[in-house]
Amino acid sequence: LIIWGGGHGDYGGNEIYTFDANTLKWSRPWGPSPSIPDPLGAPCHITYTDGNPVSRHTYSGLQYAPNVDKFWIQGGSLACGGGGAGNDTWTFDFSALKWTQKQNIPQTQLGVQTAYDPVTGHIFEQSMTKCFEYDPIGNTWTQRGDVGGDLGERNRTAVIDPINRYFVSIGNGQFFVWDLKTFRYFTPTTSGVSGLQNTNAPGLDYDPISKKIILWKGGTDVYSLDTTTWTWARIAAASTNTVVPTSPTATGTFGRFRYVPSKNEFILVNSVYGNVYIYKLSSGTGL
């Protein structure tokens, strides 16, 4: 699990932290930049003096792209007190321990939702008004759709269903979908458990075993979404379960709930002061 970011007016450090699911240990493989200004008095620039990216509220703008073995960031609210937004895109190479600035997105982004597509190896991004596709090999952005209005910018999390080819974004009272076959935008009519979209930026990832989207919003239960029928179902913890994760932050979990393919498990981090949690949905040791 890769953790990065701070935000305007509270933390300017741009170091990277990782939690290793094999060793169960934290490490700091990079950073911070040698000169970090006080966020409250800092001007809004996309880089520090060493040329590396400024810390920021990342919202749902962080991904790992396995096809290029890079950590990827886009958008966010810069660490300066005003919290300005840039259109900058970056990747971090863990082998070289180096940041590289990539092609800017055509539209300045703040509270974005992004998701990696394992079918194409591309990253899709929803802004307030438009859908974009980024090719990390070609380093190109392509606009794929426009909702014709303003969806807002914060407190949603996104995931891609690679089989049914949907980009799904949920949170802050909203639930919308981009059909990646036609790039048509719609809000599905769902059945089963209701109200899950009212959670701020819930934990959200795709489970390749059940072939469903899994949502966590606090407590020991998780929820599955079947995108063939658009049915939500509650999955209660086993009767033998004794672990209760800490509550999500008020603004949301965002990308700190992720599926770990090598372990066939989900990993969750809520706070720098708390434990790391592992959730096992199905038996098996991983892909």
Side-chain angles (χ1 to χ4, degrees):
L1 184 68
I2 305 167
I3 301 291
W4 185 80
H8 59 79
D10 44 34
Y11 187 65
N14 61 347
E15 64 268 30
I16 294 175
Y17 297 95
T18 59
F19 184 81
D20 191 318
N22 290 311
T23 64
L24 304 183
K25 292 182 179 180
W26 283 101
S27 64
R28 190 180 69 188
W30 184 89
S33 291
S35 179
I36 302 294
D38 181 352
L40 289 176
C44 277
H45 298 304
I46 62 171
T47 65
Y48 289 128
T49 55
D50 64 349
N52 289 306
V54 164
S55 182
R56 62 198 71 189
H57 288 354
T58 56
Y59 302 103
S60 191
L62 305 179
Q63 296 299 327
Y64 171 70
N67 60 325
V68 292
D69 190 22
K70 299 288 194 305
F71 176 55
W72 181 93
I73 72 166
Q74 205 292 306
S77 184
L78 304 177
C80 61
N87 60 354
D88 51 322
T89 305
W90 298 79
T91 59
F92 182 81
D93 186 326
F94 281 94
S95 298
L97 298 180
K98 181 181 179 180
W99 286 101
T100 301
Q101 188 171 0
K102 312 301 282 189
Q103 180 68 39
N104 288 346
I105 195 170
Q107 181 185 60
T108 299
Q109 307 296 297
L110 188 64
V112 300
Q113 304 96 59
T114 64
Y116 175 77
D117 178 13
V119 175
T120 63
H122 295 181
I123 296 169
F124 286 86
E125 176 167 321
Q126 171 63 49
S127 70
M128 291 183 286
T129 61
K130 296 178 175 64
C131 176
F132 294 95
E133 179 179 1
Y134 178 75
D135 176 357
I137 295 178
N139 186 29
T140 55
W141 283 99
T142 304
Q143 182 178 321
R144 291 302 188 190
D146 191 328
V147 300
D150 189 347
L151 291 171
E153 59 187 9
R154 301 188 183 103
N155 299 74
R156 292 192 301 270
T157 318
V159 65
I160 286 177
D161 178 336
I163 295 178
N164 291 318
R165 307 299 296 143
Y166 292 128
F167 175 101
V168 177
S169 180
I170 298 174
N172 197 27
Q174 295 176 314
F175 179 14
F176 63 84
V177 177
W178 283 99
D179 185 329
L180 298 182
K181 302 181 293 295
T182 63
F183 294 104
R184 181 178 64 92
Y185 156 84
F186 66 99
T187 297
T189 299
T190 63
S191 60
V193 180
S194 62
L196 296 175
Q197 72 276 5
N198 296 325
T199 307
N200 276 341
L204 198 70
D205 212 346
Y206 183 77
D207 175 36
I209 305 302
S210 65
K211 296 180 175 55
K212 295 178 181 177
I213 291 171
I214 303 298
L215 180 148
W216 179 81
K217 66 183 187 71
T220 59
D221 294 347
V222 299
Y223 300 84
S224 67
L225 174 64
D226 184 332
T227 62
T228 301
T229 61
W230 297 110
T231 302
W232 285 105
R234 182 177 73 91
I235 303 174
S239 59
T240 55
N241 177 74
T242 59
V243 176
V244 181
T246 53
S247 298
T249 63
T251 50
T253 302
F254 293 103
R256 298 187 307 278
F257 175 86
R258 299 277 184 168
Y259 178 74
V260 184
S262 63
K263 303 291 184 182
N264 185 32
E265 64 191 20
F266 293 83
I267 188 170
L268 168 68
V269 173
N270 286 318
S271 167
V272 297
Y273 305 108
N275 290 323
V276 176
Y277 296 93
I278 300 296
Y279 176 74
K280 194 78 171 172
L281 179 61
S282 58
S283 60
T285 56
L287 303 178

